[in-house]
Amino acid sequence: MTKKRVLSGVQPTGNLHIGNYLGAIRNWVELQPNYDNFFCVVDLHAITVPHNPATLAQDTYTIAALYLACGIDLNYSTIFVQSHVSAHSELAWLLNCVTPLNWLERMIQFKEKAIKQGENVSVGLLDYPILMAADILLYDADQVPVGEDQKQHLELTRDIAMRFNDKFGGEKNPIFKIPEPLIRQEGARIMSLADGTKKMSKSDPSPLSRISLLDSSDDIQKKIKKCKTDTIMGLNFANDRPECNNLLGLYGILTEKTKEEVILECSDMGWGKFKPLLTDAIINALTPIQTKYNEIMTDKNYLDSVLKEGKEKAESVANITLKRVKDALGYLIITS
Ligand code: TYM
C-alpha cells in the first residue's frame, strides 16, 4: 500500500524558535515513518517582508541543518529548498489567476503583518498564502502538519483547490487533492515569554520573547529568569493566567508529562522553584539538537548533497502536478 503524503515548511528568517519546533517540526519527526514526507525551506516566502540578501543563503542552510538535527530522517523524508523547484512559483501564478482577491484580503496574518509595514507592504505579502497553496497542492499532500497560526492558510488552500477542481476538473476528474491540516492541540500555539497573550514569533523585536533552538544554556537560563510571570500564589492552568498556562504547558510538553502530572508536581511551587526546572527541561531538549546541528554545519558538502537530491525528488513529483494543471487550463504543451 502506498503511504499517504505529508508536506510542510518553515521560512528561513533567523533561526527557529521553540514554538516552531513544538508546533511543527517535532510533529513531522513523529509522523515521518508512516508517511511519504516532503519538508521544504520556504525561501520564496522569506522575501515577502524586507530581508537581508547577505544572510538568506546561510539561513537556508541553517534551517535545512536544523531539520536534520531535530530528527528528520532521509529514509522517510525529502528535504529541499522551495526556490530550487521552479514549479512552486509557476503554480503560484496560475493559482493567482483563479483566486478572488477578497479571499486574500481576509487573511489574519496578512492584516497583522501589513500593519507593521505601513506603506511598504508588498504584493508578495498579500500573495503569500497562494504560494503556500502551491507548495502543498504540487505534492498532492494528504496531511499538512503546522502550528495553529497556519490554520486559515490551510483552509484557503482547500478552498482554492476545490474551486479549481470545480472550474477545470469536475468531480470525476479532480486536478488537486484536497489536503487536511494536522494541528496538534499540544504545542500548537506557544506564546511569547514577554507576553503570554501574544504568539512566540521570529519577528518579535525582543530576543527575550523567544527561546531559539540554538540559544546557549546561559541564554536560556537568562531568558527564563526574565520571562513574564504573575503574582498569584501557586502554579496552575487557568484562563486568566496566560503566562502560567504557557510556561506550565511548555514544561509538560518537554518533560512528556500530562497536565494532571504537571499540576500535581507544581501547584505548590512559586516561580523561584519552577523556573530552574523549566530551564533544565529546555536545555535537556535542545542540547542534543544543538550538538547534531554543529556537526552537520561543519560539512556543507553533505548538506548540498541532501538538498540536491531533495530538489530532484521534489521536482519529479511537482512537475507532474504542474503539467496536469496546465493541461486543465488549456495550455499548448509541446512534448519533446
Ligand atoms: P513559519 O515559518 O512562520 O512557521 C513554521 C511553523 O511553525 C509554526 N509556528 C508555531 N507553532 C507553535 N507556536 C508558535 N508560536 C509558532 N510559531 C510558528 C507554524 O504554524 C508553522 O507550522 N507559511 C508558513 C510556511 C509555509 C508552509 C507551506 C507550511 C510555506 N509553505 C506549506 C506548511 C505547508 C510559515 O510562514 O511558517
Side-chain angles (χ1 to χ4, degrees):
M1 207 177 75
T2 51
K3 286 179 174 174
K4 290 197 167 186
R5 178 142 324 132
V6 153
L7 177 128
S8 199
V10 174
Q11 293 191 54
T13 35
N15 81 55
L16 302 182
H17 56 67
I18 203 161
N20 299 128
Y21 176 59
L22 297 176
I25 300 173
R26 186 186 59 134
N27 301 330
W28 306 354
V29 172
E30 267 181 38
L31 290 167
Q32 65 180 341
N34 301 321
Y35 290 88
D36 173 27
N37 311 277
F38 285 83
F39 298 120
C40 58
V41 182
V42 291
D43 56 346
L44 297 170
H45 278 102
I47 67 163
T48 55
V49 293
H51 84 291
N52 183 356
T55 56
L56 181 60
Q58 187 60 26
D59 288 345
T60 302
Y61 273 134
T62 297
I63 304 298
L66 278 172
Y67 284 180
L68 291 164
C70 288
I72 296 301
D73 180 340
L74 298 174
N75 289 312
Y76 303 121
S77 304
T78 300
I79 297 177
F80 70 102
V81 178
Q82 185 188 37
S83 69
H84 293 177
V85 181
S86 59
H88 290 246
S89 310
E90 204 173 338
L91 181 60
W93 175 257
L94 301 176
L95 297 180
N96 273 337
C97 299
V98 298
T99 307
L101 179 61
N102 65 14
W103 287 12
L104 294 176
E105 287 168 336
R106 283 203 296 262
M107 293 295 110
I108 295 163
Q109 219 174 62
F110 169 71
K111 289 187 208 163
E112 284 173 358
K113 289 191 183 176
I115 287 171
K116 290 188 198 150
Q117 288 181 52
E119 299 271 289
N120 286 323
V121 179
S122 69
V123 176
L125 187 65
L126 178 70
D127 204 26
Y128 163 132
I130 301 262
L131 179 60
M132 180 162 163
D135 299 340
I136 296 166
L137 299 176
L138 274 176
Y139 296 86
D140 291 328
D142 295 281
Q143 304 276 0
V144 184
V146 284
E148 201 193 62
D149 61 337
Q150 297 300 321
K151 191 167 173 221
Q152 197 186 28
H153 293 157
L154 257 298
E155 282 159 6
L156 179 82
T157 300
R158 288 167 57 85
D159 288 346
I160 292 172
M162 288 191 253
R163 183 181 171 91
F164 197 98
N165 285 349
D166 262 5
K167 278 184 149 212
F168 303 106
E171 229 171 83
K172 287 203 187 98
N173 187 26
I175 310 299
F176 292 125
K177 181 171 265 182
I178 311 299
E180 297 285 340
L182 209 107
I183 302 172
R184 261 213 180 167
Q185 219 183 357
E186 244 188 5
R189 196 172 174 81
I190 302 293
M191 309 309 276
S192 158
L193 298 180
D195 178 349
T197 63
K198 267 174 51 187
K199 189 188 73 165
M200 186 179 283
S201 155
K202 288 183 227 156
S203 59
D204 192 306
S206 169
L208 288 177
S209 68
R210 61 184 166 266
I211 303 281
S212 291
L213 295 193
L214 300 176
D215 277 347
S216 68
S217 300
D218 281 354
D219 279 343
I220 294 170
Q221 192 177 24
K222 191 171 83 191
K223 287 179 179 181
I224 296 299
K225 208 166 176 186
K226 291 198 170 166
C227 77
K228 189 173 175 205
T229 54
D230 57 27
T231 52
I232 302 166
M233 290 292 285
L235 306 184
N236 212 335
F237 294 95
N239 285 342
D240 57 348
R241 300 186 70 182
E243 284 80 22
C244 195
N245 285 335
N246 189 41
L247 299 174
L248 288 183
L250 258 180
Y251 179 67
I253 300 174
L254 293 171
T255 55
E256 294 179 13
K257 289 177 182 162
T258 62
K259 259 186 170 182
E260 291 69 31
E261 287 168 331
V262 172
I263 293 168
L264 206 65
E265 182 182 354
C266 306
S267 58
D268 292 334
M269 288 182 189
W271 290 110
K273 195 161 175 201
F274 174 74
K275 281 188 171 187
L277 287 183
L278 177 59
T279 304
D280 283 349
I282 297 173
I283 293 173
N284 285 340
L286 298 192
T287 302
I289 293 174
Q290 296 178 356
T291 308
K292 205 161 166 211
Y293 170 82
N294 290 328
E295 227 176 85
I296 295 165
M297 284 302 265
T298 58
D299 192 353
K300 286 271 169 63
N301 288 338
Y302 168 68
L303 262 185
D304 281 343
S305 71
V306 169
L307 295 178
K308 216 170 142 209
E309 196 177 309
K311 167 190 152 76
E312 280 160 18
K313 277 199 196 160
E315 264 179 344
S316 69
V317 176
N319 287 343
I320 292 173
T321 312
L322 187 62
K323 173 159 186 316
R324 201 164 70 224
V325 174
K326 284 176 140 181
D327 276 341
L329 288 172
Y331 277 96
L332 171 67
I333 296 172
I334 299 174
T335 46
S336 48

